[in-house]
Amino acid sequence: SSFQLIKEVRREFGLDKPRRSLTDALSEFQEFLTESHSKGKTNVLVIDEAQNLRPPLFETLRQLLNFETNTQKLLQIVLFGQNELAPKIDRLPELKDRINIFGALSSLTKDDMGAIIDFRWKLAGGNDHPFTPDAIDAIFKYSKGSPRKLCKLCDNALIRAFSSELGAIEPAIIDSVADEIRLKEAEESPTPKKRGRKKKEIKEELSPVLKSI
């Protein structure tokens, strides 16, 4: 519910004291934002998986964006979500009009994907990651540049390699993992052939019949 959302938002900003009504909760939150703004702070609310929000909750977010001074918004809201988020926002013009920046993460290139694997490996404290060049090719083939599929493949491949005490991850492991998480099946499924015959073929077959008529 909208009240539950506001309570969660307030809790994230350190306002744990419960309020009996949505109006009171919003009023106190606005006072908090005003005071915070007067101290030079920028308040940002980040919501992940925003495509799962129901329409009434989007309306609540729109109300939060009404908290403003004569020159600035008191709260910045960032929504992260999957592709389903865009059409939901399109159906809410009052909210959409208040959004200043839209962005979409397109599919990664193989170079981008390799850079991400290298970065995450070093961030975890490693030096050279264990994926061979051929394994990288296999990861790119199955993930099709999707960051989420990339992470799922790599995580499962690392677990498999660790359990087997392997120092390097070869394409065979990626193939096995892709099959296990049902990415290989999607990759290898044949494109259904169109049934029926081309108009030209039918016309040529009927031509002698038409001439005899």
Side-chain angles (χ1 to χ4, degrees):
S1 67
S2 295
F3 195 13
Q4 185 63 36
L5 174 63
I6 293 302
K7 286 194 292 186
E8 292 296 329
V9 170
R10 284 163 46 89
R11 187 176 294 114
E12 290 295 325
F13 282 92
L15 299 174
D16 294 327
K17 188 176 180 180
R19 285 289 175 256
R20 293 185 177 180
S21 70
L22 176 60
T23 301
D24 291 342
L26 286 171
S27 178
E28 185 185 49
F29 187 47
Q30 184 175 15
E31 291 175 2
F32 165 80
L33 293 175
T34 302
E35 181 180 354
S36 181
H37 177 75
S38 68
K39 296 177 181 179
K41 296 181 179 180
T42 300
N43 295 291
V44 181
L45 172 63
V46 179
I47 299 179
D48 197 11
E49 300 292 348
Q51 78 279 352
N52 294 327
L53 294 175
R54 292 179 289 106
L57 301 184
F58 282 110
E59 173 60 22
T60 302
L61 295 180
R62 187 191 67 79
Q63 291 178 341
L64 293 179
L65 290 174
N66 288 335
F67 296 163
E68 58 189 356
T69 66
N70 291 331
T71 58
Q72 288 182 311
K73 297 286 185 182
L74 295 177
L75 180 67
Q76 306 295 322
I77 299 179
V78 181
L79 302 177
F80 289 103
Q82 298 181 32
N83 293 336
E84 307 93 88
L85 177 60
K88 282 192 172 184
I89 291 178
D90 287 338
R91 292 192 292 268
L92 301 166
E94 292 185 350
L95 174 62
K96 186 177 180 180
D97 289 344
R98 287 169 168 77
I99 298 177
N100 292 327
I101 300 175
F102 288 89
L105 181 62
S106 58
S107 298
L108 301 170
T109 66
K110 190 167 76 170
D111 289 342
D112 290 337
M113 192 190 69
I116 287 178
I117 293 174
D118 188 58
F119 171 77
R120 292 180 66 123
W121 184 259
K122 290 180 178 176
L123 190 66
N127 292 317
D128 296 326
H129 63 70
F131 298 95
T132 66
D134 288 340
I136 295 291
D137 289 340
I139 293 171
F140 184 70
K141 178 181 71 172
Y142 291 122
S143 69
K144 294 181 171 58
S146 166
R148 182 165 298 192
K149 292 178 181 178
L150 157 68
C151 293
K152 186 182 292 187
L153 275 168
C154 290
D155 288 346
N156 282 274
L158 287 169
I159 292 172
R160 183 76 60 86
F162 176 77
S163 63
S164 302
E165 298 183 352
L166 298 174
I169 297 178
E170 300 287 348
I173 294 180
I174 304 301
D175 291 339
S176 177
V177 168
D179 185 51
E180 185 178 290
I181 62 178
R182 303 183 68 82
L183 288 180
K184 190 173 183 180
E185 182 177 289
E187 173 68 23
E188 294 179 348
S189 59
T191 303
K193 295 181 179 180
K194 293 183 179 180
R195 295 184 177 181
R197 297 150 70 186
K198 296 181 181 180
K199 291 182 178 180
K200 184 178 179 181
E201 294 174 349
I202 297 174
K203 185 177 180 180
E204 289 175 352
E205 184 175 316
L206 290 178
S207 181
V209 179
L210 294 175
K211 288 179 180 179
S212 64
I213 296 175

